[in-house]
Each structure stands twice: as structure tokens, then as C-alpha cells.
Amino acid sequence: YTFAAAQVDNCNPSASISANCQTNLPRVQATPATLQTGLQIAFGSIAAVAVLIIVIAGLQLIVAQGEPQSISKARQTIIYAVVGLAIALFAEAAVTLLIGKL
């Protein structure tokens, strides 16, 4: 496979790539703010799912009516969801702190 001359117009491999370099590859215009926003949305979604799981497990705990096995399962679910929520919040704080220092 050979590259056509039109594919690499204005591209000098020994120098930095210029804005006019035509490689037919998509250009990514990512900035730290874009990355931070994307990660905040991802971690926020994870946190929302964790809160929803906590609510559902709380309802299961209420409906368990004293059955030890159901109560134990609901408590474990709440504990795991709280740990997941804490991890998501810590990860979001870490990303915000690290990207803020860039």
C-alpha cells in the first residue's frame, strides 16, 4: 500500500505537523475541559445508578418482613452500592483536581 501525494500534502515528517496537513484522518479537538466534562458525566451517571440501587435495596429491606436471608442480601447490596458511590465521587474529585492542574 502506497500513499498518494494528495494524501500527505503539506506534511513534513521532520517538523511538527501543520494545521494544513491533509492526512484524511479525523481531527480530534479535545481539550482538558472537554475531557473533564465527559468524565464528570460518566462518574455522575455511575453515582446516579448507585443511588438508585441504594433506594431499591432499601425498599427490599423494608419488604423483607424479618426474613434474615432477604435482610442480609439487601444490606450487602446497600453496602456495595455505597462503596461504589464513594469510589465514583472520589474518582470525579481526583479527575477535577488533576485536570485543574494541567
Side-chain angles (χ1 to χ4, degrees), residues 11-18:
C11 296
N12 184 354
S14 62
S16 64
I17 296 175
S18 69

Side-chain angles (χ1 to χ4, degrees), residues 53-79:
I53 290 172
I54 291 169
V55 169
I56 291 171
L59 291 173
Q60 288 175 346
L61 188 62
I62 292 169
V63 176
Q65 296 180 353
E67 294 178 27
Q69 195 171 21
S70 297
I71 291 172
S72 175
K73 184 178 176 185
R75 281 185 181 168
Q76 280 185 330
T77 302
I78 291 171
I79 290 169

